[in-house]
Amino acid sequence: MGAAMTNPAPHDAAHPVEAHPAEAMPIPGPSDPMVAPRKAPARADGKRPLIGLSKAQLREVLAEVGVPEKQLKMRASQVWHWLYHRGVTEISAMANIAKDTRALLDEHFVVGRPEVVTAQVSSDGTRKWLLRFGDGEEAECVFIPDAWRGTLCVSSQVGCTLNCRFCHTGTMKLVRNLTPAEIVGQVMLARDALGEWPNGTASLPALPDTDDDDDDRPYFPGLANAGSNYTPEGRMLTNIVMMGMGEPLYNFDNVSQALQIVMDGDGLGLSKRRITLSTSGVVPMMERCGKEIGVNLAVSLHAVTKDIRDEIVPINKKYGIEQLLQACADYPGANNARRITFEYVMLKDKNDSDEDARELVRLIRKYKLPAKVNLIPFNPWPGSIYECSSDERIRAFSDIIFKAGISAPVRTPRGRDIMAACGQLKSASEKISRAELDRRAAEKELGWVDPA
Ligand code: SAH
Ligand code: SF4
């Protein structure tokens, strides 16, 4: 077992906190996806998605379109309930909302599920969805069923700016942040596909009369006490990992807002203990992640020397190993019951020696980290330059860590046959090259018509 954690130390001059990590690593060119991933453009029909809004934002947008002040709280609660407890995909299905109000909502909003372009099922039961968003961009999302749980691997960006050399997503040229709606939408889409919304006879918790209409009635008369054996505990989708496409801490605000909805008891109601966020090491955002989101942390370490980590996880040039491990030691909420997971991809003759394993143990001890290590056999993809370490090498590596009292399971690759395994995600949306983007930006500047 890992040693006890040190007391969280305040950041000092040796560990500065940067306000704008997204400004890191500039690369030249008018369309610079490294610095600022593009924002999602508005939908062509001008409608806004209802999912992904916080409760306060929902009240605001309802007020904007003319829902009377007196009704705002009630309407917002009704809409929220239809979205996250009932899983409706159409505003017209929000049965207890007056018809004219539904028509008003329909004029300005959509529920906002992503479109499913393809749905694949692996021979091991893993499912992968290629999703398309309002502007045509695409991202992937993977469901991995196990005996005791079902884990949804959620994307935070289209592509990734960080270019880790063993990761397929990092080779995508186009990058944009996913919106809160698009992140929550993945979870809702998976519930749709797995049939995990209550049906018409589902039992819902009794709803208190917290609206302002003085009628003593709950919001959902007729639904509140309908009998059924539906229970949230019976669901297949039990865990979420932010380990799909993208670096979640480079899209902090949207990921945070989405996860607040996922964790909200009135929202999707998943415990923060069942959610893990994986980062390649965006050190300045780690403390906020622990404080404001409070989910489990996984860190993509992958190497124990500066040379090798610089090569395979280039963000290491900005935030080095020692700085990263100190941020792990300071991570709010980490302790022996909630350990930090270190992900370590096994690359033949690159990072897989006995010496590397011993150095990993030394570092974990040095920072007194409550840690476990996940050894991930490298998943190849077309054009990848690395090979996976042999089974014997992986076992020897795991043994050294395990004998030091640190758990070091080897991850069984899942969904390899449908390219759904770790690091294999790369949607088909990469059709426009960086050069093409730059050319378009230049043309726009000159006042030419954008051919897109
Ligand atoms: N950007 C985040 C989360 C997404 S990647 C991060 O890097 O942590 C999820 C995990 O898959 C990371 O640990 C990543 O390093 C690992 N990974 C990427 N490419 C891989 C590959 N080809 N084989 C095995 N693991 C890979
Ligand atoms: Fe991005 Fe993570 Fe892939 Fe690195 S491993 S390129 S951070 S998605």
Side-chain angles (χ1 to χ4, degrees):
M1 287 293 126
M5 194 188 157
T6 48
N7 285 332
H11 286 278
D12 55 29
H15 313 109
V17 175
E18 286 190 17
H20 301 291
E23 283 166 15
M25 301 168 66
I27 56 169
S31 55
D32 186 346
M34 297 288 274
V35 173
R38 290 170 309 132
K39 285 198 171 136
R43 282 171 56 99
D45 61 8
K47 293 188 181 185
R48 283 183 285 180
L50 285 172
I51 64 174
L53 298 173
S54 68
K55 286 174 186 166
Q57 285 173 337
L58 182 56
R59 281 200 292 273
E60 258 167 49
V61 299
L62 293 183
E64 270 169 35
V65 302
V67 172
E69 173 75 34
K70 245 190 89 189
Q71 293 181 15
L72 281 179
K73 201 173 157 208
M74 171 186 69
R75 295 292 180 223
S77 297
Q78 287 175 321
V79 168
W80 187 271
H81 196 93
W82 282 111
L83 293 176
Y84 300 116
H85 278 224
R86 307 287 297 172
V88 297
T89 54
E90 300 293 335
I91 290 168
S92 57
M94 299 183 177
N96 68 337
I97 297 182
K99 255 199 172 146
D100 51 345
T101 308
R102 266 187 272 162
L104 179 71
L105 296 183
D106 239 343
E107 236 175 79
H108 299 279
F109 304 107
V110 286
V111 166
R113 289 281 203 289
E115 179 196 334
V116 180
V117 183
T118 52
Q120 287 171 278
V121 184
S122 154
S123 52
D124 68 15
T126 301
R127 297 172 185 224
K128 180 173 87 170
W129 295 280
L130 174 62
L131 305 175
R132 185 175 295 149
F133 304 108
D135 62 348
E137 291 289 6
E138 293 166 356
E140 289 172 328
C141 165
V142 175
F143 178 70
I144 307 143
D146 263 328
W148 302 109
R149 63 177 172 201
T151 304
L152 188 69
C153 183
V154 172
S155 292
S156 56
Q157 299 183 307
V158 171
C160 184
T161 54
L162 286 173
N163 305 116
C164 299
R165 289 190 77 185
F166 50 84
C167 173
H168 208 196
T169 310
T171 67
M172 288 180 67
K173 296 196 177 61
L174 281 186
V175 180
R176 96 159 158 72
N177 281 335
L178 294 182
T179 62
E182 292 164 343
I183 298 167
V184 175
Q186 295 172 58
V187 185
M188 300 179 75
L189 193 276
R191 277 209 179 155
D192 291 344
L194 299 169
E196 299 208 317
W197 298 108
N199 57 30
T201 58
S203 93
L204 294 168
L207 294 158
D209 177 39
T210 47
D211 57 4
D212 297 327
D213 60 7
D214 292 320
D215 65 0
D216 275 346
R217 274 185 314 174
Y219 297 152
F220 302 102
L223 285 183
N225 303 312
S228 135
N229 56 7
Y230 173 85
T231 61
E233 292 73 35
R235 285 186 179 134
M236 286 166 75
L237 198 173
T238 58
N239 291 56
I240 289 178
V241 291
M242 295 301 303
M243 293 186 188
M245 298 165 72
E247 169 48 58
L249 295 188
Y250 266 3
N251 185 16
F252 184 85
D253 291 339
N254 291 352
V255 166
S256 173
Q257 179 156 332
L259 290 181
Q260 302 301 343
I261 294 170
V262 170
M263 294 185 291
D264 193 317
D266 296 333
L268 295 175
L270 219 82
S271 154
K272 65 179 183 180
R273 286 168 202 287
R274 293 185 172 273
I275 301 174
T276 300
L277 183 147
S278 174
T279 180
S280 56
V282 185
V283 166
M285 299 309 289
M286 285 166 62
E287 188 178 6
R288 277 188 70 193
C289 176
K291 276 196 176 140
E292 294 174 32
I293 316 180
V295 291
N296 305 318
L297 183 70
V299 171
S300 294
L301 191 61
H302 303 318
V304 288
T305 62
K306 176 168 166 52
D307 279 0
I308 303 294
R309 194 159 194 269
D310 277 357
E311 177 191 328
I312 64 179
V313 187
I315 196 180
N316 193 63
K317 293 181 196 146
K318 189 153 181 59
Y319 308 114
I321 293 176
E322 305 268 334
Q323 214 183 337
L324 174 59
L325 296 180
Q326 184 61 49
C328 291
D330 294 344
Y331 188 71
N335 53 42
N336 277 335
R338 285 188 84 192
R339 285 174 293 169
I340 291 173
T341 304
F342 288 103
E343 293 155 284
Y344 200 99
V345 62
M346 298 302 295
L347 303 172
K348 185 174 180 183
D349 299 334
K350 187 49 74 180
N351 63 355
D352 61 352
S353 68
D354 286 355
E355 207 186 332
D356 289 321
R358 284 193 287 267
E359 176 63 4
L360 181 54
V361 169
R362 189 190 68 82
L363 287 169
I364 289 173
R365 284 185 176 155
K366 176 178 173 194
Y367 287 88
K368 300 186 169 60
L369 294 167
K372 58 184 166 189
V373 178
N374 267 350
L375 300 176
I376 316 174
F378 169 64
N379 292 306
W381 36 271
S384 56
I385 57 172
Y386 298 110
E387 267 180 72
C388 184
S389 313
S390 67
D391 288 352
E392 300 77 59
R393 187 85 297 273
I394 298 177
R395 209 168 309 126
F397 195 95
S398 169
D399 277 354
I400 292 173
I401 303 168
F402 184 74
K403 283 190 182 127
I406 300 162
S407 137
V410 181
R411 278 300 182 88
T412 318
R414 299 288 304 267
R416 267 187 178 175
D417 55 341
I418 55 167
M419 290 284 285
C422 275
Q424 290 186 319
L425 304 185
K426 177 179 175 176
S427 71
S429 63
E430 188 202 17
K431 286 174 200 128
I432 313 169
S433 68
R434 174 103 196 289
E436 172 67 8
L437 257 189
D438 285 353
R439 187 182 62 79
R440 288 184 186 183
E443 284 179 355
K444 221 173 193 172
E445 212 135 86
L446 291 168
W448 300 356
V449 180
D450 191 335

